[in-house]
């Protein structure tokens, strides 16, 4: 049951990111998020290092840097507002 809910949580995050950046591929969004999540857990600097990795993966994947920056910022602010509001 926990695996199901964690999987749905990741899918929701990817879907929200896809809404924020419609030109990005779902594959690119999911792999960059999974990689950055794992990376942020093992390096010093945690979340900042993970976000930098996700930004880099999406821009190397062909997305415009401004679009990626705005999209990731939007998703981050929405997640923070959602968590803070509950």
């Amino acid at each position: 049951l926990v695996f199901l809910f964690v999987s749905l949580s990741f899918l929701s995050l990817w879907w929200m990111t896809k809404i924020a950046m419609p030109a990005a591929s779902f594959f690119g969004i999911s792999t960059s998020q999974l990689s950055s999540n794992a990376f942020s857990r093992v390096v010093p600097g945690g979340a900042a290092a993970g976000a930098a990795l996700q930004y880099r993966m999406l821009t190397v994947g062909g997305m415009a840097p401004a679009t990626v920056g705005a999209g990731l910022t939007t998703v981050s602010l929405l997640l923070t507002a959602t968590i803070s509001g509950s």
Side-chain angles (χ1 to χ4, degrees), residues 32-63:
S32 68
Q33 190 275 327
L34 288 172
S35 299
S36 68
N37 187 36
F39 187 66
S40 70
R41 307 233 186 250
V42 297
V43 299
L53 176 66
Q54 186 173 18
Y55 174 85
R56 178 78 176 142
M57 287 181 71
L58 289 169
T59 55
V60 168
M63 293 290 302

